Amino acid sequence: MTTLLEIRNLSKHFDLRLGAFGERGARVHALDDFSVDIAEGETLSIVGESGCGKSTTGFAILNLHHPSGGSVLYKGTDLAQLDEDAMRPFRRDLQIVFQDPYSTLNPRMTIGEALSEPILFHKLASKADLPARLAQLLQDVGLSARFASRYPHELSGGQRQRVAIARALACQPRFIVCDEAISALDVSVQAQILNLLLDLQDKYGLTYLFIAHDLAVVRHISDRVGVMYLGRLAELAPAANLFATPLHPYTRALLSAVPEANPRAPRNRQMLQGEVPSPLAPPPGCRFHTRCPLARGLCRSQTPAFREITPGHLTACHAVTSPTATNWETPA
Ligand SMILES: Nc1ncnc2c1ncn2[C@@H]1O[C@H](COP(=O)(O)OP(=O)(O)OP(=O)(O)O)[C@@H](O)[C@H]1O
Ligand code: SF4
Ligand SMILES: [Mg+2]
């Protein structure tokens, strides 16, 4: 397995500006210490509650938000060190598809014009070859060549998302961040777009970072799943392991709330107490300690290391020393 992206201790903090002179105010800890290797051709999904840092992770990897710390090694270059000019040669390879295709599609451009833009910018086809390339792209995403002359408002939500995917594909990328790319669509259309993404992955050897809050969806399409809580990875595992043997108390609570995500899981729903703390002042130690039923003194003072418990299955919890249930009764 070839590693496409080697991400180490990636962090992103947003400094909120206050006052007329832009003095630094509070700091949002949106992402801290995110480390993972993403293999060529894999689908790595990131799940977690709203505001936990999923989009920030995608943006920081692509250097759309310049990281506050850490590294993103791609083709021997640390993208986190690059300014926008130096990023330009890498932009083509690294694409993003958003939840709302309106944000990427100019309402005054036809679909053909929108798809031509990146092709001409990156010089991926001559003007003479452009019509054939557009027809191929539209065909790849299941649309007929006639769509080239239409405007975004003339399309359904699913068709617009197909165009957004075609626009990403136009760059002949290797890696695509799908940031809630299907979340706004009807359930039946979601399945079609998911299948399209999987077909395109097979055809073009694409690697996906798939950001979603729907655990049932990621179960079926992911090679691995990472669970985030308040800006940190709580758990990372092959998808089947995560759903069959969730280790982190937060993952267990999340899964217990979505029985269809894991039909074999016991149906005793674990309600989490309290609210997610503010990322402006994340709790010290384990960020989950204010809501964790297993929290002890150590959890309040020491950040748990992100450790491998079984091959490929990592979690950040002082209490977990093995996947067997008995450890949950006796946290460290
Ligand atoms: N540009 C920004 N400036 C300040 N804070 C930001 C900025 N972008 C994100 N944040 C904050 O960083 C945290 C993580 O946001 P992010 O958008 O990554 O969450 P998310 O997991 O993608 O949420 P959602 O599921 O709602 O999309 C949030 O507290 C958010 O308010
Ligand atoms: S480290 Fe402590 S507070 Fe955090 S998840 Fe584990 S038991 Fe809970
Ligand atoms: Mg988001």
Side-chain angles (χ1 to χ4, degrees), residues 54-55 179-180:
K54 304 181 295 295
S55 297
D179 188 357
E180 306 273 8

Side-chain angles (χ1 to χ4, degrees), residues 289-313:
H289 83 245
T290 56
R291 302 172 79 198
C292 180
L294 299 176
R296 296 211 173 164
L298 177 68
C299 308
R300 296 179 189 93
S301 59
Q302 250 182 56
T303 303
F306 198 54
R307 291 176 298 120
E308 190 168 44
I309 305 298
T310 57
H313 195 155

